[in-house]
Amino acid sequence: MSTHSHDYFPQKPRDSHSFLRHFTTLLACGSKCDTGAQSVIAVTGSIDPGQKVRALIVAQNPHMNSPMGPISLKRVQKPNRSLDEVIARFPSPDLINHLADTWAALSAVDREATDYAKQLVSLEVFFLRRSFHKLSIHFRGIPGFAPEWEFSNKTKYDWSRILAVFLTGVGQSIEEVEQAREENLQKEMERLNFWCRYLYYFVTWKTGIVRDLLTKTNMVGTDNNDELTEFELETGGSTGAQVLRYLWTVVAWHATLYTLCNNRVLPKLLKDIEIGLVQVPRSPSSTLESCYSEKRCHSDNMFFDFVHSEAALMGLLNYYKHYSAQAGQDVGFGDPQRLQQIVQPLAEAGEAVIAVSEECRWCCDWLSKNLESQFTLPGTHGMIYPWDPLKVGVSELVLKKLEGELWNQLCVVVMASLALSIEPPKLFLTDESIPQLIRSLLSK
């Protein structure tokens, strides 16, 4: 994320990814019961001169045991609250109330006020508290953790020690927040914010010290952490580059707030913005999940699939761009006029930029390149997860093509496994016989 402020926001939807990405960072709080793809939030929007700013947000339905229902849209209303009133609210609201609080909090900040620095600190603490669970997961995923790092180039020692001090401060503060009683929680959150802010300053320092330290110096004595799939070590990537990616996620809230609040156009943008929220209902193939998970938190179990948020958003936009005119009335929408009023202008704006709170799964990334409409996503970590398509906006032809690509991916894995066997079987395979072979292997 860039730490430099700009005097304008992008004027075209495809160039608005900076604002959307920052906005998404503040919305994706996460909780102990939200993990993996089911906690992902997808956002798109349009920022056109002389027109109302529109933002469309798609997330999973948080009510696990609710019956499957139609796709419907809720308009987010900005409450008339001061910054102090927003900060004093319940720390773990549902998504639509967090959306409203985020809107109100950003609108209440006055960058010309004499106490602007104090307002900014209050805003930092507010979002850190709302996002504490996600912050702690990202921080604890840093490979090897700072005190264990060693660098082959001894001239980097002093800089590495400074980084270690900041990281140790963040780590200790996270533990103190987790153990704090309610009466001491605010004090501990302020201490955590202190260390996170200075870590942000150091990581984003324009001299590039941290970047060079981690990517141009050999790091040894590290352990990879597999808790976050989106940060698995890329092919040909270094451990230092992986650590740098983790650090960016830890300072993401501060980078976002400094970028947004230092933008002179933000107050005008927030005064004339229309925000719609779609929470995707459970898909038919995921009904087993309600039985299995009735008293458990959500998890990415291999048996449970659902419509991923970014896939649902692409399906909606593609539907209103290419299918709505010839479609019948009964397509499973609740209050279709309200949904159309928000989605149609975004669908017709051209290539849509979609900001996502995590890197995309393989199927969603593939879908973005194979629908009639064009989409820009933040990239993929290449993991294949259980996946359901939205029931509108994705044609059967596209789904058949996706099925073929998934068989190809599975074929690569199976054939690689067979190649590693001591006595590989003598198989004579054709393109037509491979799917049958794989099915027979999986059925054993």
Side-chain angles (χ1 to χ4, degrees):
M1 295 181 186
S2 173
T3 61
H4 302 290
S5 62
H6 301 281
D7 291 330
Y8 63 94
F9 273 115
Q11 299 300 313
K12 297 181 180 179
R14 64 176 177 270
D15 297 326
S16 62
H17 57 278
S18 177
F19 170 70
L20 295 176
R21 184 178 73 249
H22 292 312
F23 194 49
T24 305
T25 297
L26 298 180
L27 299 183
C29 295
S31 71
K32 292 181 179 179
C33 291
D34 288 332
T35 60
Q38 290 169 319
S39 65
V40 170
I41 294 175
V43 182
T44 192
S46 63
I47 306 175
D48 294 321
Q51 295 188 18
K52 182 185 292 290
V53 177
R54 290 184 173 88
L56 177 62
I57 300 161
V58 177
Q60 287 293 311
N61 188 337
H63 305 295
M64 293 170 48
N65 295 321
S66 63
M68 292 176 293
I71 298 171
S72 58
L73 180 141
K74 297 178 181 177
R75 289 183 185 272
V76 182
Q77 303 294 329
K78 183 173 78 71
N80 185 22
R81 298 191 184 103
S82 67
L83 182 59
D84 289 339
E85 289 172 333
V86 174
I87 291 172
R89 280 174 52 78
F90 182 65
S92 301
D94 58 17
L95 179 57
I96 193 166
N97 282 304
H98 178 62
L99 268 165
D101 288 345
T102 298
W103 189 357
L106 291 175
S107 300
V109 173
D110 182 4
R111 66 190 311 274
E112 304 299 333
T114 56
D115 65 341
Y116 170 67
K118 182 180 178 181
Q119 292 181 30
L120 193 56
V121 170
S122 297
L123 210 57
E124 292 168 359
V125 175
F126 170 74
F127 282 107
L128 279 187
R129 185 171 183 181
R130 289 267 174 110
S131 308
F132 176 76
H133 178 69
K134 192 165 188 175
L135 168 69
S136 62
I137 289 178
H138 283 178
F139 180 80
R140 286 169 174 151
I142 297 176
F145 193 45
E148 302 172 12
W149 292 346
E150 296 178 9
F151 294 87
S152 59
N153 187 340
K154 296 302 182 182
T155 62
K156 304 287 186 179
Y157 176 81
D158 289 340
W159 291 121
S160 68
R161 291 300 91 195
I162 293 174
L163 180 58
V165 167
F166 289 145
L167 288 172
T168 300
V170 173
Q172 291 176 348
S173 294
I174 287 175
E175 293 180 359
E176 289 166 358
V177 168
E178 291 174 335
Q179 298 171 8
R181 295 179 179 271
E182 184 62 32
E183 59 268 22
N184 296 324
L185 184 57
Q186 181 65 20
K187 178 181 177 181
E188 298 301 340
M189 285 301 308
E190 290 173 356
R191 183 175 300 173
L192 172 61
N193 182 60
F194 169 86
W195 286 112
C196 286
R197 188 191 312 123
Y198 277 92
L199 178 63
Y200 159 73
Y201 290 153
F202 193 46
V203 170
T204 61
W205 193 10
K206 63 181 180 180
T207 57
I209 290 294
V210 174
R211 182 194 64 234
D212 292 346
L213 184 67
L214 296 176
T215 61
K216 297 183 180 180
T217 307
N218 293 329
M219 291 179 59
V220 296
T222 59
D223 297 317
N224 286 330
N225 186 306
D226 296 328
E227 187 169 1
L228 296 178
T229 57
E230 66 264 35
F231 296 107
E232 288 189 353
L233 192 59
E234 297 177 349
T235 303
S238 66
T239 303
Q242 186 187 24
V243 170
L244 186 60
R245 294 171 68 199
Y246 271 99
L247 290 178
W248 273 113
T249 67
V250 172
V251 302
W253 291 274
H254 286 79
T256 288
L257 290 173
Y258 275 70
T259 301
L260 291 179
C261 293
N262 285 329
N263 193 306
R264 297 180 182 276
V265 178
L266 181 66
K268 296 180 181 178
L269 185 150
L270 293 175
K271 284 182 180 178
D272 194 25
I273 186 171
E274 189 173 42
I275 302 176
L277 171 64
V278 173
Q279 291 182 300
V280 184
R282 295 209 318 271
S283 56
S285 59
S286 64
T287 53
L288 174 63
E289 183 174 7
S290 62
C291 301
Y292 180 80
S293 304
E294 185 174 355
K295 296 183 179 180
R296 296 181 51 180
C297 291
H298 261 308
S299 63
D300 280 334
N301 189 285
M302 64 179 295
F303 299 110
F304 304 143
D305 47 353
F306 52 91
V307 180
H308 293 205
S309 298
E310 58 270 48
L313 182 50
M314 287 187 285
L316 284 172
L317 294 172
N318 198 56
Y319 170 81
Y320 278 104
K321 181 69 177 291
H322 297 282
Y323 294 103
S324 60
Q326 65 266 28
Q329 295 298 315
D330 186 15
V331 290
F333 290 159
D335 197 348
Q337 289 185 340
R338 175 186 293 182
L339 191 64
Q340 183 176 14
Q341 187 177 3
I342 294 287
V343 181
Q344 189 87 49
L346 296 174
E348 295 176 350
E351 180 178 342
V353 173
I354 296 179
V356 186
S357 55
E358 295 181 7
E359 287 187 308
C360 298
R361 275 61 182 169
W362 185 91
C363 289
C364 294
D365 184 68
W366 184 93
L367 191 68
S368 71
K369 302 169 184 175
N370 289 275
L371 289 173
E372 293 88 345
S373 299
Q374 297 298 307
F375 300 97
T376 298
L377 293 179
T380 177
H381 49 59
M383 299 292 289
I384 297 179
Y385 276 72
W387 190 88
D388 265 357
L390 194 68
K391 53 187 175 182
V392 296
V394 183
S395 68
E396 184 178 353
L397 181 64
V398 170
L399 293 178
K400 288 290 186 182
K401 186 177 178 182
L402 174 57
E403 181 185 20
E405 289 297 323
L406 288 171
W407 277 116
N408 290 339
Q409 293 290 320
L410 184 57
C411 176
V412 170
V413 174
V414 171
M415 297 307 292
S417 178
L418 291 174
L420 294 175
S421 62
I422 298 176
E423 295 182 1
K426 296 180 180 180
L427 300 173
F428 299 94
L429 300 175
T430 64
D431 290 343
E432 292 76 18
S433 64
I434 286 176
Q436 286 79 6
L437 168 67
I438 294 175
R439 287 191 181 97
S440 66
L441 291 173
L442 293 177
S443 64
K444 293 181 179 179

